[in-house]
Amino acid sequence: MNKPLHDFAESFKQHIEGIAAAKSENKSIESFTDAMCGYMQESGELDGFEVIEQFKRIGIQLNGYAIHEDEERLAVDLFVCLHTRIIPPISIHKNEWEPVIKRGIGFLRKCLSGLHYSLVRESEVYGISKMIHDNKEKIKLARIFFFTDGITKTIALDDVEVEGIPISFHVWDLERLFRMKSSGRKKEPIFLNLEQKYGLELPCLPMPETNEDYESFLAFIPGQLLARIYEEYGERLIERNVRSFLQFRGVNKEIRKTVLKEPHMFLAYNNGIAATAEQVDFGQSTQSGLPVIKSIKDLQIVNGGQTTAAIYHAAKNDKNADISKVYVQMKLTVIKDTEKMDEMVPIISLCANSQNKIQTADFFSNSPYHRKVEHFSRNEWAPAKAGSHRQSKWFYERARGQYLDLKNKQETKAKKRLFDEDHPKSQVFTKTDLAKYINSWEQLPHIVSRGNQKNFAEFSKSLDDLDVEQLDKSYYCDTIAKAIIFNTIYGMVKTQFRANIVTYTMAWLSYKTQQKIDLEEIWRMQSVPASMIETIKIVIKAAFSHISNPPNGENPTEWCKKEECWTSFRDMDIETFLEL
């Protein structure tokens, strides 16, 4: 095994176990699942996720899931893990990985046949099991992601079907994760050699004036080529693509209609697609003299996912579809400075998709707000805790993996130890963590209870009215104080519905004190006052009782998502007797 991979494996293991220990978890598999899903989200492979405590029985397993839903159809992602915690990473053989993947399939199969009937209603897995069962007619696709911190040989898995639902498989081992991370990019780049692989050149028209940031080109891409590329690369080609293939309603219905009845009119009727690339190789057409695109490195369709997926699925599913006459106009933007790719591509995508509010954390990581929080976290030293003279920093992971990346850049073991001391793992927080801290303080626990991505989407909307230029050190210190309150409550909750109890408890404290808790003092002490601890204990008990006894026998985790749950808890007469 090469040394860089070994070092990455060692750092990754320590990071996962450090985060788990900081969160008072007995097991690190939940932190491992969360980390892997987070990397998948930032690479464009996933659009949101929820991690659960590992559910494992004979023939079934689940470590997390994601649901992508519209009014008519559903797609389901299921995550299963084989977490070895062994360094150096060991080879994972077929007799080890195959049972895990089969247990993932088994979980889906059991859900479809009524697994939830045998589960405790209060369990984490009950909700997802019942949802799959109750909506089995709407599910049009399932994807099973297999994560391991070992090394797998090439796993070639053919798509299968369970009760008519097609299932695709996605395998991520430590070596593949390392390749993605060491490339310095958030995704494995797509390279299209149009000339060699597809036997064509793509005529294009360059922008009239050049500049130092980017070049832009207009081209007409054949529908057959677009469909073939989508078939080969799927979600790696199209950010936000998970919903693209779920429906033929609205605009997609019209796209399908045009493909079937008037394919030659597609160019006139459709707005086309917007794409970005890192590098494009050009030639010259012998016929027209125009520049032609010969190859594209790191192609990403940032607007037009609906168009692309609709063309592909119309061609695949409709016998009468003839896409040989379909052409799509494409604006291709080439970012000249690769260091700016991560900054510019999300902005281009956001502007191109302005008609749809983008709702996942990775698209917002480069916003001025998150860069400002990151700036403070890298520069502001937190006061030393009682009994210590050692100051430290809170580390804001604006982009997934920043903590591990910066630690690995430290050249010696001594410098790595110093990095750990300066940035304790218990003080690492992400965009979705930040959204939970603030929305809990803003008394929105029913929103927080809807999951990381939905909560983050609501949090992001609140930033529209925020003057980022006015954010100062005081804002940052108050935010960290909120994190300390949240994390303190989290460490005190040992019962079911932990995530819900934590946000409800913090929201209640904020409401009852009219947000007059001394955040400045909490920042200075880097801990909550003892008197507040006693109050928290009482509120935690009240929150558990309220959440675990929903009206009409409703599932507690669903009950927590309703504003009625919050308002009824908010107005409860909880005896505290202590001044906050």
Side-chain angles (χ1 to χ4, degrees), residues 381-386 392-394 427 477 480-481 484 488 519-528:
W381 288 91
K385 295 180 180 179
S392 60
K393 294 179 181 178
W394 285 73
Q427 294 175 193
C477 295
I480 298 304
I484 292 170
T488 299
L519 297 177
E520 184 179 351
E521 176 66 14
I522 292 174
W523 162 260
R524 285 198 301 268
M525 299 297 295
Q526 289 293 291
S527 63
V528 300

Side-chain angles (χ1 to χ4, degrees), residues 81-205:
C81 300
L82 179 57
H83 189 209
T84 70
R85 302 170 62 184
I86 297 174
I87 300 296
I90 60 173
S91 294
I92 306 298
H93 301 290
K94 184 177 181 179
N95 64 341
E96 296 168 305
W97 60 255
E98 188 175 51
V100 180
I101 292 176
K102 284 185 175 180
R103 286 196 293 270
I105 300 172
F107 178 81
L108 177 62
R109 195 185 303 275
K110 289 286 187 181
C111 287
L112 294 170
S113 62
L115 173 64
H116 66 286
Y117 291 121
S118 65
L119 300 176
V120 177
R121 291 179 62 86
E122 290 77 13
S123 65
E124 282 186 296
V125 78
Y126 175 87
I128 177 64
S129 303
K130 186 175 187 301
M131 192 284 302
I132 290 175
H133 177 267
D134 293 349
N135 295 276
K136 55 187 174 184
E137 299 301 324
K138 291 175 60 178
I139 299 174
K140 301 304 176 185
L141 175 73
R143 303 189 299 176
I144 293 179
F145 286 79
F146 170 68
F147 300 138
T148 181
D149 56 346
I151 306 296
T152 67
K153 301 297 182 182
T154 301
I155 298 178
L157 295 168
D158 295 328
D159 293 354
V160 299
E161 285 192 1
V162 172
E163 295 192 21
I165 299 172
I167 302 176
S168 62
F169 301 96
H170 305 261
V171 177
W172 281 84
D173 66 355
L174 200 69
E175 190 171 35
R176 186 177 180 188
L177 179 64
F178 172 69
R179 285 200 307 268
M180 182 181 74
K181 292 294 298 171
S182 61
S183 70
R185 303 299 307 282
K186 292 182 180 178
K187 58 182 178 294
E188 294 181 304
I190 294 170
F191 181 76
L192 298 178
N193 194 320
L194 301 178
E195 188 177 41
Q196 291 184 8
K197 187 170 183 178
Y198 303 103
L200 60 82
E201 297 173 334
L202 201 60
C204 66
L205 182 66

